[in-house]
Amino acid sequence: MQIALLGFGVVGGGVYAICQDRSDLRVTRVLVRSDKPEIAAIATRSMDDIVNDPAIDTVAEVMGGIHPAKEYVEAALNAGKHVVTANKALIAACGDELTALAKKNGVSLRCTAAVGGGIPWLVNLERIKRLDTVSEVGGIMNGTTNFIMDAMHTSGAAFGDVLAQAQALGYAEADPSADIDGDDIRRKLAISAGVAFDVSVEETAIPTFGIRTVTDGDITAFRQRGFVCKLLATAMRCQDGVCAFVEPTLVRAGEPEAAVGANYNLITYTADRIGRQSFFGQGAGRFPTAGNVVQDCLDILGGKTAFYADISRRTSLAEDAVSHPYYVRTAAPDEFLRSVTVDTWGGGVITSAVGVDTMLRWAKAKLQEDPGCFVAGIR
Ligand code: HSE
């Protein structure tokens, strides 16, 4: 297989290094934005050099972002080249469109590295559907926020200090908003729900609350009561279709998610016959993520032509299909909160079961009035 890499950053460099050790996969072109002396002989700044080279059969897109990655992927698919991508933003936003284009051109589009970095999540989700019905997917799908929550629990440190540590270690982005506000995990959930349930989910339609406002005082209250707080993603089949949400969640100390430390991920599906299966590992990083890109290339080389899901139309998410109690801390309690309050924990209150959409909509609105407001679902 002759591969053209689009991008030569952390993941692209990893793909190149893995392929250097193999005779069946050869990286023969690399699209770069700046000079890379170590690959000068095969580097190009022109996508045309790749699209017009008939010897290249597969394009591996590891540049990130939606534009110009989308236009490059379209050009590659239209030129009859298979595409492998690690780009979750691109797949969450344009996965249906690009899958249709790949089918039209008789080529493959694989994106295993887009969710869970190096974890073989999407491929196993795809496999389980061959013999069972998936009822639920989700879990810990963002390493940066898991690192922050874990460090706050184990060291008692404040959010800002732990975030700075995550940035110093290279886990969090320089602008960590996509991690701590939940956009990154929401994208991964949208892609996973699409594959699990053969639906197309608009990522921004998923109710989401991040961890930006959690305090060490909240964590102390949780620990004292035997709970661990994690940012969890959940999507499930429900009576009216599919529901999905992302929120800080209090899990009992003995549950598998509670034991996930540092920047690891734990992603789970539940299927009717097989029950729960979970996948643990590094959800980011050079060789884990590059490994999944190369595995996708090997699958295509081995003749795999199937797509992850047969998605044809956008699906509206069911509202308030799930209800559970919440921990809520706000300096501006209102009539709604008072009407559902059943207990007090430290600086916060516990509610009776409230619909997820209702609560997360309320919490988002409350942030305008009280920017320090924090909520966590209780599982
Ligand atoms: N920022 C992401 C994370 C990287 O922390 O999980 C992988 O998507």
Side-chain angles (χ1 to χ4, degrees), residues 32-270:
V32 294
R33 280 184 269 224
S34 57
D35 289 342
K36 305 282 178 195
E38 67 273 40
I39 50 158
I42 56 171
T44 176
R45 304 231 181 179
S46 166
M47 185 63 191
D48 288 344
D49 287 345
I50 291 168
V51 169
N52 296 327
D53 183 344
I56 292 169
D57 45 59
T58 302
V59 167
E61 186 274 305
V62 285
M63 57 197 295
I66 294 183
H67 302 289
K70 180 175 186 241
E71 290 72 25
Y72 291 170
V73 166
E74 286 171 342
L77 295 171
N78 282 327
K81 300 182 191 309
H82 305 295
V83 170
V84 172
T85 177
N87 188 334
K88 56 190 172 283
L90 178 65
I91 293 298
C94 316
D96 315 350
E97 214 182 306
L98 296 175
T99 298
L101 191 60
K103 285 180 182 170
K104 183 176 151 218
N105 286 291
V107 290
S108 293
L109 174 66
R110 308 288 301 164
C111 62
T112 307
V115 182
I119 300 171
W121 161 246
L122 289 183
V123 281
N124 279 292
L125 187 55
E126 184 185 32
R127 277 168 64 86
I128 191 68
K129 285 170 52 193
R130 298 191 298 202
L131 54 92
D132 208 344
T133 303
V134 177
S135 56
E136 185 170 341
V137 292
I140 298 170
M141 303 169 94
N142 179 273
T144 303
T145 48
N146 197 65
F147 176 86
I148 293 171
M149 298 311 295
D150 182 50
M152 288 182 77
H153 278 274
T154 50
S155 71
F159 178 83
D161 295 340
V162 180
L163 173 60
Q165 212 183 330
Q167 286 175 299
L169 287 167
Y171 298 154
E173 308 293 324
D175 174 3
S177 304
D179 294 312
I180 64 178
D181 292 331
D183 298 348
D184 176 83
I185 186 171
R186 184 174 67 177
R187 280 186 191 125
K188 294 166 180 166
L189 182 64
I191 297 170
S192 301
V195 174
F197 309 127
D198 290 315
V199 295
S200 168
V201 176
E202 171 65 53
E203 58 175 288
T204 55
I206 298 176
T208 299
F209 198 88
I211 62 161
R212 185 185 284 273
T213 54
V214 68
T215 65
D216 39 332
D218 296 324
I219 302 293
T220 302
F222 305 151
R223 279 168 55 91
Q224 284 171 348
R225 291 160 179 88
F227 284 97
V228 175
C229 186
K230 297 289 186 183
L231 183 64
L232 296 189
T234 307
M236 61 175 81
R237 287 185 200 277
C238 59
Q239 208 174 0
D240 297 325
V242 170
C243 70
F245 51 94
V246 169
E247 62 184 9
T249 307
L250 304 187
V251 296
R252 294 261 167 208
E255 289 190 45
E257 285 81 4
V260 177
N263 62 329
Y264 281 90
N265 287 197
L266 181 71
I267 317 180
T268 298
Y269 58 67
T270 306

